[in-house]
Amino acid sequence: MTGGQMAPTTLLGMKTATSPQGRNSELNGYPLKISNLLALLDGTCYVTRQAVHTMASVTKAKKALRKAFQNSLDRKGTSVVEIVSTCNTGWKMSPDAANKWMAEHMFAEYPLGDLKNI
């Protein structure tokens, strides 16, 4: 969605249009784990990170979104659903290759699952 530009979540070493040598921590800083930070805040009741690379993961993401909306309706607090997805055109990969790359590389930095659920 950035047109191939570096995003806050771009991994170290990952090449983008605006970081053709790869993300460098000294120059560009480290990837931001926004959901991890939001889970620490008072007032958040549900923070989760999901993906959409398989049908099973899409089903889990849908359930997470439904839970977040229900939490809002029930006035439990703020819910955050982070979706880890690919940018296969920006990564110059086929959709299948991008999904495999994401599972092999992104999930190590951004593990899936609930970060907060009260």
Side-chain angles (χ1 to χ4, degrees):
M1 298 205 348
T2 63
Q5 299 170 24
M6 185 174 60
T9 54
T10 298
L11 299 178
L12 290 176
M14 193 172 187
K15 295 178 180 180
T16 70
T18 54
S19 59
Q21 307 305 310
R23 183 181 193 134
N24 177 321
S25 63
E26 291 179 15
L27 180 63
N28 311 114
Y30 288 89
L32 293 178
K33 297 178 183 175
I34 300 296
S35 292
N36 296 58
L37 296 172
L38 294 173
L40 299 173
L41 297 177
D42 294 335
T44 56
C45 64
Y46 181 58
V47 181
T48 189
R49 182 179 295 120
Q50 301 297 322
V52 289
H53 65 301
T54 65
M55 284 311 300
S57 66
V58 169
T59 300
K60 287 181 182 180
K62 282 181 173 182
K63 286 181 182 178
L65 289 166
R66 280 191 198 100
K67 181 179 180 91
F69 281 116
Q70 191 60 52
N71 285 344
S72 184
L73 291 170
D74 295 343
R75 298 181 181 266
K76 289 185 175 181
T78 301
S79 295
V80 177
V81 179
E82 178 181 13
I83 306 289
V84 181
S85 64
T86 65
C87 180
N88 52 297
T89 56
W91 296 353
K92 297 178 177 66
M93 296 180 186
S94 70
D96 187 49
N99 282 337
K100 288 178 184 172
W101 191 94
M102 180 178 65
E104 292 172 8
H105 298 92
M106 295 292 290
F107 297 160
E109 187 77 20
Y110 299 100
L112 304 181
D114 295 348
L115 290 101
K116 186 175 190 178
N117 187 5
I118 56 173

